[in-house]
Every structure is written in C-alpha cells, then in structure tokens.
Amino acid sequence: MSLLKDFTRGIWKENPVLVLLLGTCPTLALTTSATNGFGMGMATTFVLVGSNLVISLIAGIVPKKIRIPVYIVVIATFVTVIDLLMKAYAPPALYAALGIFIPLIVVNCIVLGRAEAFASKNGPIHSILDGLGMGLGFTLTLTMLGIIREMLSTGSVFEVKVITAWTTDFLLPSAAPGAFIIVGTILALKNYFNRRAAIKAGKLYVPPEGLDCRHCRICSLPEHDEEKREK
Amino acid sequence: MTKLKETENLWILGLFLGITGLISALVLAIFSDLVKEPIAAAELRSTNQALQQILPPFDNQPSRTSVKIKAENGSEYTFMGAFKDGRLVALAAIGANAGYAGLVHAMVGLNPDGSIRAVLITRHNETPGLGSYVCERKFQKTIFNLFEPKPEGLPPNSFLDQFDGKTARVAANWKVRKDGGSMKYITGATVTSRAVTELVSELDRCYLANKAEIIGALNSQEGK
C-alpha cells in the first residue's frame, strides 16, 4: 500500500510542477509544443529514477558535509548518459529543440529535491517508485501545458493541425510571457478549487504538510510566526 | 559506517569526493565509447537525409567527398560533391551566419555552374513563429491527412524558394528589399531574412570565386 502511495504521490497530490513548484525553468521554457514537453518530461523521469536509485543505495556512506556535491555528481552522470542516448537515438528535430535544456536537468530542483528529501532517507524500491511517480507527474503536466500552448498558438496538437482554418500563428501563448500567464492561471484555478472543496467539507484549506513556507525556519519572518500561533 | 557519515576530516571528505568523481568519469567514459558509433550513424543519417532533399540522385557519399574553403569574409565553408557514375552532378555548400539568436546553419544545393538548386536551413534557434518561418520547411499534418503518406520532395517555403535557379553573379544585388535589394523578406523576421540572404549569397560567391579549386579537389578525392 505504501509502495503505491510512493508512486501516485508525485502524479497529483505532490505534483512537482503544480504543487511543489519545482523545475519551473524547463516548465516555462520548453512547453512550446506537446512533443517538446513530453520529451523533456521523459528525459527528466529517466534521470530521476536513476539518481534516486543510486542515491538511496549510497546515502548510508556519504559523509553529511559533502552529500550535496556527491548527489550532484551522481545526477550529472545520469544527465550526460541521457544526453548521449538522445543524441544517438532520439529524432533529430526533438534533440535540436530540447538541446541546451538537457544538460540543465542537472540543476532542475526536482531531481536534487527528491534526492535530498526522499531518496536519501528511503530504500531503493521506494526511491525508484518515487522517482517514477514524480517523473510521470512532471511529464503529464509538461505535456498538458504543451498541448494547451500549442493549441492556443497554432491550433494543432503534437504537430497535427486540428483546426485547419487556423493559418497564422498566435505568438503570445508560445512565447515566454504566455507561459507565465498560462502556468499562473492553472495554479490559481487549482488553488481555487482545492480551497472550495475544503470549505465545502467544512475544513480550513491547508497546503500539503511541509510544502509551504510555514514549516521552514530559514527565514523566520515575524508574520510566519504569527500565522503559526494562530493555528 | 556512521563514523564515515559524521566525519569532518577534510582529507577523508576530499578523498570521498575524488573517488565519486573518478567512478562517475569511468562510467561516462565507458558509456560514451559505447554510443559513439550510434551517434555518428545518427549524424550521418540526418546529413544524408538533408543532402537527398537538395541534390539530384547521386551514388557516392558526399559527406566523405568534401573540401573546406576559407571565404573572403573569414568564415570557413564546406563544399560536398555529389557524383553520379563518376561525374560531378551537383554540390552542397554548408556554412553558418549569425542570425537573431545564435547561428543559422544552412545547406545550399548548387549546380556545378553556380546556380542554386535549393536552400535548406539545417540548424537554427530563431524565434518560433517569427524567424522560424524563414528557416523551416515542414509539411503541415492535419487531422484530415494524418494517415496519408508524406508527399515526396522538399516542403515549400516561400522565402527560401526565391533563391532557386538564381546565381549570385547575375543578381548582383542580393539583399532584402528593406536594404534596397531584390529579395523579399518576412515581416517581423528581418534580421533572420537578412542573415539567410547574406549566407546564401556568400556561399554562392565563395563557390564562384574558388570554382576551379573546389571542383579539382572534389574530382581528385572521388577519383581515388
């Protein structure tokens, strides 16, 4: 049961893009089309699964002081592997589009975030499932965003024109400002519905535990303390 | 093991990090050696695909029959020769020029007399929806022709197709109309249009200026 939970958590409840808000760089930059979003998602999934597995295995012996550099080396190794694999086997158009963003998976917060928050504290099987779930959640969200942006800007999905009368591209959704607007709208809608559902059920809407600012003591701002006291 | 985890000894920490890096380098060295051949094959495949689109039928391997020429403007262009039955039928000129965002790489099919067969942009990073219109040749798939086979030949692009059949020597004024030339350009993508026009004309001029040298080098390579 807990195995299943590790897997499904990343897909909806702790979706890396919509809930954890991690990895927004590829999310905003690469979802210009559904194919790009899907390709980036799959590459990140591969890195997540690989790095989660290796890190869960070595976490017991890595000195605490240098754990972050060691994790980054492991992650960078997997990123280079997927980069070479895509160069060899992915369609040239896809590799050309994802190009510089593949090496940048190294600094994608999801990968290091899951390594530090999950894989270093859990066994290999749970870590693989967590990586798969988080990767799948990332892929699904990126593909969905890609479909929305491609649809709004060219009227096509996966490069297949659905509305054939649409001949001139509408640039805003496929450009960076459009990405911010669309992602922001989706986040607002998600929060709105979550809150409404919570109020209907007669509960106070609280974001998932540990995923917002309140638990964090790094910047202990006075207003956060007040909020806590109110709880 | 807990001792290693809590250690603060700098030497041990450094050694641990060094060993991690060494293992990772070893894994990557082995792996990159494994995929070296597939990568080369994939690159050759995409080059050949581009060559087949802009050249008449040929029976040699143009990417192995090539000569590099340094042009007057300082950039280096590659010329590949396409041979059929031992005779030079066409050339592919390859070069790059700075566009709006990074380099625009082009492959231009040339007839041996220097007239242009077709222009193909092989790599670019221009703005999607603006500069990309100048560079991309794509068949638009729609839900109505999704299962029909792809039409043969090069997909049309009204900007790139205007070079076909022309020679840089005849049309001395190879500039976009905005700069007083004769080439039409795409509104909103003047920089890209300008870069591509300049690149195509430089490639053709370079060929015309070094024609004897290029053809001689290609013939002697093919003769071997």
Side-chain angles (χ1 to χ4, degrees):
Chain A
M1 210 46 222
S2 83
L3 280 175
L4 190 71
K5 225 173 163 185
D6 279 334
F7 177 64
T8 55
R9 185 176 43 212
I11 296 174
W12 181 249
K13 215 177 140 208
E14 289 186 19
N15 184 295
V17 180
L18 298 177
V19 183
L20 305 183
L21 275 180
L22 292 175
T24 33
C25 167
T27 306
L28 295 169
L30 276 172
T31 51
T32 48
S33 73
T35 322
N36 287 359
F38 180 75
M40 187 63 190
M42 291 316 285
T44 311
T45 307
F46 171 85
V47 175
L48 258 170
V49 172
S51 70
N52 264 10
L53 169 67
V54 172
I55 286 165
S56 71
L57 290 175
I58 62 167
I61 56 161
V62 177
K64 252 190 186 147
K65 293 261 159 185
I66 53 161
R67 67 185 193 287
I68 300 289
V70 170
Y71 295 168
I72 287 288
V73 170
V74 173
I75 294 166
T77 311
F78 278 101
V79 171
T80 315
V81 166
I82 189 77
D83 189 38
L84 290 169
L85 275 179
M86 287 189 75
K87 218 180 247 172
Y89 299 110
L94 181 67
Y95 185 77
L98 299 184
I100 52 163
F101 288 96
I102 297 292
L104 285 180
I105 297 176
V106 178
V107 288
N108 188 329
C109 305
I110 301 171
V111 186
L112 185 63
R114 292 326 286 175
E116 170 72 6
F118 193 91
S120 63
K121 295 170 194 148
N122 290 281
I125 294 167
H126 286 264
S127 297
I128 289 179
L129 283 172
D130 178 77
L132 264 180
M134 284 284 160
L136 209 64
F138 190 60
T139 311
L140 285 175
T141 320
L142 254 61
T143 313
M144 182 190 76
L145 275 172
I147 290 174
I148 293 174
R149 288 178 68 186
E150 204 183 337
M151 192 66 213
L152 288 179
S153 71
T154 62
S156 47
V157 171
F158 284 103
E159 272 145 37
V160 175
K161 246 208 175 56
V162 180
I163 306 170
T164 37
W166 196 320
T167 48
T168 314
D169 290 4
F170 174 43
L171 289 184
L172 180 67
S174 65
F180 278 101
I181 293 169
I182 290 165
V183 172
T185 312
I186 290 173
L187 287 176
L189 282 176
K190 189 177 186 295
N191 280 341
Y192 173 74
F193 284 117
N194 277 357
R195 221 169 116 179
R196 218 174 62 161
I199 290 169
K200 251 190 189 158
K203 278 184 274 178
L204 190 68
Y205 173 60
V206 189
E209 200 186 334
L211 299 181
D212 64 343
C213 261
R214 275 164 297 180
H215 74 287
C216 165
R217 306 301 304 170
I218 293 174
C219 52
S220 63
L221 299 165
E223 56 259 49
H224 288 179
D225 288 344
E226 273 169 32
E227 229 174 272
K228 214 159 197 181
R229 246 176 275 133
E230 274 172 24
K231 288 276 132 63
Chain B
M1 280 304 158
T2 45
K3 226 174 165 185
L4 187 59
K5 218 178 161 180
E6 301 296 334
T7 183
E8 288 190 15
N9 185 332
L10 268 184
W11 293 106
I12 296 175
L13 291 180
L15 196 70
F16 194 95
L17 207 52
I19 291 170
T20 317
L22 213 66
I23 293 170
S24 142
L26 199 74
V27 171
L28 284 182
I30 294 168
F31 189 80
S32 77
D33 210 48
L34 278 178
V35 294
K36 208 152 112 203
E37 268 171 42
I39 288 177
E43 271 167 13
L44 189 68
R45 209 165 38 236
S46 62
T47 314
N48 275 351
Q49 214 177 7
L51 286 169
Q52 270 157 8
Q53 282 186 316
I54 58 166
L55 298 177
F58 52 86
D59 55 13
N60 70 328
Q61 179 51 264
S63 54
R64 288 208 195 102
T65 320
S66 70
V67 52
K68 281 191 165 67
I69 298 282
K70 205 156 179 117
E72 272 173 43
N73 61 5
S75 34
E76 198 179 52
Y77 299 135
T78 309
F79 291 87
M80 295 177 179
F83 287 82
K84 173 113 188 160
D85 305 324
R87 209 170 55 85
L88 183 71
V89 285
L91 296 99
I94 296 158
N97 192 11
Y100 184 73
L103 290 177
V104 177
H105 295 255
M107 193 185 257
V108 178
L110 295 172
N111 289 318
D113 67 357
S115 61
I116 286 166
R117 295 185 56 88
V119 180
L120 191 69
I121 305 295
T122 46
R123 203 143 37 104
H124 74 92
N125 195 22
E126 304 300 298
T127 321
L130 288 173
S132 68
Y133 280 148
V134 175
C135 301
E136 274 164 17
R137 288 176 181 273
K138 235 185 218 166
F139 282 117
Q140 183 61 60
K141 270 189 274 179
T142 69
I143 39 171
F144 300 115
N145 69 3
L146 189 54
F147 299 107
E148 285 168 23
K150 234 169 140 184
E152 290 284 312
L154 203 60
N157 175 314
S158 65
F159 176 78
L160 296 176
D161 288 343
Q162 65 181 326
F163 295 103
D164 294 3
K166 292 186 182 147
T167 316
R169 188 176 37 194
V170 180
N173 203 5
W174 267 32
K175 276 180 185 167
V176 292
R177 277 181 199 156
K178 199 175 192 172
D179 301 339
S182 58
M183 292 294 167
K184 64 177 178 187
Y185 61 100
I186 289 180
T187 315
T190 320
V191 177
T192 315
S193 311
R194 210 177 265 157
V196 174
T197 309
E198 193 183 288
L199 176 60
V200 174
S201 78
E202 282 302 322
L203 281 169
D204 201 22
R205 286 210 181 107
C206 177
Y207 171 71
L208 292 172
N210 304 290
K211 197 172 164 184
E213 189 189 337
I214 292 168
I215 291 182
L218 290 177
N219 272 328
S220 71
Q221 276 187 38
E222 181 64 12
K224 255 185 272 175

mmCIF file of all heavy atoms in Angstrom, chain B residues 17 43 91 100 144 149 183:
data_model
loop_
_atom_site.group_PDB
_atom_site.id
_atom_site.type_symbol
_atom_site.label_atom_id
_atom_site.label_comp_id
_atom_site.label_asym_id
_atom_site.label_seq_id
_atom_site.Cartn_x
_atom_site.Cartn_y
_atom_site.Cartn_z
ATOM 1 N N LEU B 17 35.008 12.623 -2.210
ATOM 2 C CA LEU B 17 34.518 13.360 -3.379
ATOM 3 C C LEU B 17 35.324 12.990 -4.620
ATOM 4 O O LEU B 17 34.768 12.809 -5.712
ATOM 5 C CB LEU B 17 34.617 14.861 -3.088
ATOM 6 C CG LEU B 17 33.639 15.764 -3.815
ATOM 7 C CD1 LEU B 17 32.221 15.270 -3.631
ATOM 8 C CD2 LEU B 17 33.765 17.184 -3.301
ATOM 9 N N GLU B 43 24.150 11.064 -36.942
ATOM 10 C CA GLU B 43 24.540 12.316 -37.596
ATOM 11 C C GLU B 43 24.633 12.141 -39.106
ATOM 12 O O GLU B 43 24.158 12.981 -39.866
ATOM 13 C CB GLU B 43 25.882 12.801 -37.033
ATOM 14 C CG GLU B 43 25.677 13.690 -35.831
ATOM 15 C CD GLU B 43 26.954 13.934 -35.053
ATOM 16 O OE1 GLU B 43 28.046 13.617 -35.579
ATOM 17 O OE2 GLU B 43 26.849 14.438 -33.930
ATOM 18 N N LEU B 91 26.632 20.165 -56.066
ATOM 19 C CA LEU B 91 27.403 20.340 -54.829
ATOM 20 C C LEU B 91 26.470 20.783 -53.719
ATOM 21 O O LEU B 91 25.411 21.361 -53.967
ATOM 22 C CB LEU B 91 28.470 21.415 -55.002
ATOM 23 C CG LEU B 91 29.584 21.186 -56.003
ATOM 24 C CD1 LEU B 91 29.252 21.924 -57.273
ATOM 25 C CD2 LEU B 91 30.893 21.651 -55.435
ATOM 26 N N TYR B 100 19.279 35.944 -35.549
ATOM 27 C CA TYR B 100 18.732 36.757 -34.460
ATOM 28 C C TYR B 100 19.130 36.160 -33.115
ATOM 29 O O TYR B 100 19.436 36.872 -32.179
ATOM 30 C CB TYR B 100 17.213 36.813 -34.590
ATOM 31 C CG TYR B 100 16.548 37.702 -33.580
ATOM 32 C CD1 TYR B 100 16.650 39.083 -33.692
ATOM 33 C CD2 TYR B 100 15.830 37.162 -32.525
ATOM 34 C CE1 TYR B 100 16.052 39.905 -32.777
ATOM 35 C CE2 TYR B 100 15.220 37.989 -31.597
ATOM 36 C CZ TYR B 100 15.328 39.357 -31.734
ATOM 37 O OH TYR B 100 14.741 40.178 -30.817
ATOM 38 N N PHE B 144 -7.028 15.711 -41.211
ATOM 39 C CA PHE B 144 -7.631 15.144 -42.423
ATOM 40 C C PHE B 144 -6.640 14.341 -43.246
ATOM 41 O O PHE B 144 -7.026 13.462 -43.993
ATOM 42 C CB PHE B 144 -8.237 16.262 -43.268
ATOM 43 C CG PHE B 144 -9.292 17.021 -42.533
ATOM 44 C CD1 PHE B 144 -9.114 18.356 -42.208
ATOM 45 C CD2 PHE B 144 -10.453 16.380 -42.115
ATOM 46 C CE1 PHE B 144 -10.077 19.045 -41.497
ATOM 47 C CE2 PHE B 144 -11.429 17.069 -41.401
ATOM 48 C CZ PHE B 144 -11.243 18.401 -41.086
ATOM 49 N N PRO B 149 0.296 9.123 -46.829
ATOM 50 C CA PRO B 149 1.770 9.151 -46.830
ATOM 51 C C PRO B 149 2.280 10.569 -47.068
ATOM 52 O O PRO B 149 1.604 11.390 -47.689
ATOM 53 C CB PRO B 149 2.137 8.226 -47.986
ATOM 54 C CG PRO B 149 0.916 8.178 -48.845
ATOM 55 C CD PRO B 149 -0.259 8.352 -47.932
ATOM 56 N N MET B 183 15.464 40.879 -52.757
ATOM 57 C CA MET B 183 14.885 39.706 -52.114
ATOM 58 C C MET B 183 13.751 40.121 -51.185
ATOM 59 O O MET B 183 13.909 41.038 -50.385
ATOM 60 C CB MET B 183 15.959 38.982 -51.297
ATOM 61 C CG MET B 183 17.018 38.353 -52.154
ATOM 62 S SD MET B 183 16.287 37.031 -53.119
ATOM 63 C CE MET B 183 17.613 36.737 -54.280
#
